[in-house]
Structure formats: structure tokens, C-alpha cells
Amino acid sequence: MPYVNIRITDQATADQKAELIAGVTNLLKDVLGKNPATTVVVIEEFSTDNWGIGGESVTARRKRDTQR
């Protein structure tokens, strides 16, 4: 039973999440021959305040990048 955990910082719409779930499920079926009926896909959403890259939060990075 494949288990895929997708972690993102931005809020995705319900349609986008459905597309991710279907796409990952189909990819596992096509590439590895996995049964879609037993494939589990979990999407976790994090606040950009709770995700850091290079010693700073994603919120701070985005704020800095938009000020350039």
C-alpha cells in the first residue's frame, strides 16, 4: 500500500488538492504498477511562518523578495 505525504506552504484549493491526489495516484500506477485503490495520499498544509529555508521563515523570504 503506497503512502505519499505532500507538504506545502500555500493554501491550495479543493480542486488543486483533488488534482494532486489523482495525479500522484496515477503516477504510482503508471510507473510502479501500484493499485490506485490502495494508494494513500495525504496533503499537509503549513503556515509560511512555520516553514523555514536558509535560516529564515518562508514568510520573511517572500516579504523580502517582494520588496526587491
Side-chain angles (χ1 to χ4, degrees):
M1 173 173 73
Y3 174 90
V4 178
N5 186 333
I6 299 171
R7 295 178 176 187
I8 57 177
T9 58
D10 292 318
Q11 289 187 343
T13 67
D15 288 341
Q16 290 170 324
K17 291 176 189 177
E19 190 173 342
L20 283 170
I21 292 167
V24 168
T25 300
N26 286 328
L27 183 64
L28 287 169
K29 175 181 66 81
D30 294 344
V31 174
L32 299 178
K34 297 299 181 180
N35 182 353
T38 60
T39 299
V40 177
V41 179
V42 176
I43 299 172
E44 292 183 87
E45 293 178 298
F46 293 88
S47 163
T48 56
D49 291 336
N50 296 329
W51 197 292
I53 301 170
E56 65 182 338
S57 71
V58 171
T59 303
R61 290 174 65 96
R62 288 183 179 169
K63 184 177 179 182
R64 177 178 40 85
D65 289 345
T66 59
Q67 293 174 348
R68 290 183 180 177

